Every structure is written in structure tokens, then in C-alpha cells.
Amino acid sequence: MLRALAVLLLLLNLLFFSWTRGWLDEVVGIKARGDREPERMARQVHPERIKLLSETELAALQSRNCLALGPLDGDAALQAAQAALAKAGVALTAWQAQTSELAGVWAVATIKMPNRDFQARKEETYKKLKIEFEFLKGPPDELPTLLLTRHSSEKAAEAALDAFDKRSLKGLRVLQLQAPMKRTNLVFPQADGALSAQLMGLKDAALAAGFKVCQFAPVEAAASAAAGAATPAAAPAASTVAAPAAPRAAPSAPAAPLASAAASAR
């Protein structure tokens, strides 16, 4: 009898020990550790990133600003920036594209000067005739070259070249310094604190143009202003497309690479 009681007590102790260790939770339906689930704490992912915000920090996070990325010159730069934003998880609906056309640049320039003596004679001639000139900053295979005038069209450059030719100035040509291209700014008109911080933290080379604070004119407001300014006798109405205002303190465009020689030397 005593032996059976001792065995029973041993079994009860083993069962109790197993239950306290949580081994029988699924069997008995009563958790040894109560309603706590400490295993969830162990499954947390980067809990250190969670931060309690003060009222000031919360207000800053909820505030909205206009940010602009740019200028982006050419389709390749635009596509690279769009790909970088998509890779960072920025929604396509968060930004709008503001595009403008940049005119090309043509110049009346000397031929590539073969030596220093030739260059010195050219410089002396232009100084005597009081013709201003500058040195071309371009690819090595076109240096040294002097630029005499710059023009916004090839036709104007050709006319200037003809004028120099009538003055018996030889060894000149029309050189295209920059091809016409599109310039784009990607405008984020309603960037909240979280999006602003995300954008400012992006380090992709395609976003090297940088994000700047801008002023955004809503389409409805711009259209209303245009309608108010119109008179009954105005010309036939044209569709109005409002564009975001240019970014504040946008940097000047870098010099574009030399495109081509548009005319042979004269």
C-alpha cells in the first residue's frame, strides 16, 4: 500500500514538474505561465527602432512641406531618379514631374589650334580687333579651342560666322556646345515629416541633384487665376496646365558636354 502511494506521489510530482515547465500546456489547456506570452518578445524585429514621440516631434512629423528633386537634365537622368525612388519604396503618387525645354547652345569657335604659336597669333589678332574670346572647356580632343560668341540657335551661329568671314577672319567654325534637352524637377507637394526624412536620407547617386524646399501652386488655383485674368475679348481659350513653382535656390545647370561640330572650319 505504501509502495503504491509512493509511486503515485512520484508520478504526481513528475506531472506537476512537467506542467510548471510548460510541457503540458497543450495537453491540459492551462498555461503554466498564465496569460503571458514572453515568446512574442523574443520574436520582435528591431524593437530598438520604436521611439516614443513628444508633442513637438509629433507635430513636426505631421507637418507637410513641398520638396523638389532636381534639376534633372535629359531622359536618362530622369529615368535613373525614378528608378532610385521606386527602389526606396517611394510611391509614384507622391511626386509630380515639372518639365521644361532647354534650348541648345552653339558657338563660333576656332579650329583646334595645332600649337602654341598658332594660338598666340590668334589671341593677338582678336585682341587687336577687340573681339572677346574664351577658352573652350570640353573634351581633350577639341582642346585648345577659342570661343568667340555663343548663340541659342545654329542659324544665329552661322550668321555670326558669316560676319566674321566678311572681316577676313579665317579658321573659324560653328560648334554645338549643348544639344536641346528636357529639364525636369520631381516635386513632392505634400511631403509629411516621415517622407521628408526618408527623402533626405537617400544616398543613391541618381539623386545627387538633391532635394530642396519649394513652393507648389495647385492646379485649381492656377487655373482660377488664369480665368480671372482673361477678358471677354481675349483670344480663343487654350488649355491651362499649372506647373509647380521652381525650387528655391536651385543650383545652376552644369555645363553640358560638347555635342558636335556643326560646320566645317572656314
Side-chain angles (χ1 to χ4, degrees):
M1 181 68 180
L2 291 176
R3 181 180 299 177
L5 182 59
V7 172
L8 179 61
L9 289 174
L10 179 61
L11 290 175
L12 290 175
N13 277 279
L14 288 174
L15 290 172
F16 181 75
F17 176 78
S18 299
W19 177 72
T20 58
R21 303 297 294 181
W23 298 341
L24 301 179
D25 285 355
E26 300 298 330
V27 177
V28 299
I30 302 176
K31 294 183 178 180
R33 301 179 185 180
D35 294 331
R36 295 177 298 167
E37 297 183 11
E39 64 275 7
R40 292 192 176 185
M41 298 290 291
R43 291 200 299 266
Q44 291 185 104
V45 178
H46 298 297
E48 70 279 1
R49 296 181 181 176
I50 299 176
K51 177 184 177 182
L52 295 178
L53 301 178
S54 64
E55 292 184 3
T56 302
E57 292 172 324
L58 181 59
L61 188 64
Q62 293 175 335
S63 65
R64 295 183 179 273
N65 297 304
C66 176
L67 294 178
L69 169 65
L72 304 170
D73 291 336
D75 292 336
L78 174 60
Q79 293 170 3
Q82 291 174 331
L85 292 173
K87 182 180 179 181
V90 179
L92 291 176
T93 55
W95 53 265
Q96 300 177 17
Q98 172 193 352
T99 302
S100 59
E101 297 288 340
L102 286 183
V105 178
W106 287 262
V108 175
T110 65
I111 60 174
K112 178 181 178 180
M113 294 175 286
N115 52 58
R116 289 190 175 275
D117 290 338
F118 184 89
Q119 178 178 340
R121 292 197 302 271
K122 284 289 185 182
E123 292 182 14
E124 183 179 357
T125 299
Y126 298 145
K127 288 177 181 178
K128 287 181 179 179
L129 295 174
K130 296 183 179 181
I131 298 175
E132 296 184 357
F133 60 87
E134 61 180 299
F135 290 95
L136 172 67
K137 299 177 181 178
D141 58 350
E142 286 289 348
L143 301 181
T145 295
L146 299 179
L147 303 181
L148 305 187
T149 56
R150 291 173 178 262
H151 306 273
S152 60
S153 69
E154 185 177 5
K155 183 177 180 180
E158 290 285 357
L161 180 61
D162 289 338
F164 283 122
D165 191 47
K166 291 177 181 179
R167 297 174 64 179
S168 299
L169 292 174
K170 305 300 181 181
L172 299 177
R173 57 177 171 163
V174 169
L175 202 62
Q176 187 181 42
L177 303 181
Q178 175 180 294
M181 68 172 63
K182 291 182 180 180
R183 169 171 291 177
T184 304
N185 286 287
L186 298 183
V187 180
F188 298 77
Q190 295 292 324
D192 59 19
L195 179 57
S196 297
Q198 180 187 7
L199 295 177
M200 292 298 186
L202 297 177
K203 303 299 182 182
D204 196 294
L207 308 177
F211 293 89
K212 295 164 284 293
V213 177
C214 62
Q215 295 178 345
F216 181 74
V219 174
E220 294 80 1
S224 176
T231 61
S239 60
T240 302
V241 178
R248 189 185 310 158
S252 59
L258 185 67
S260 64
S264 59
R266 297 189 180 182

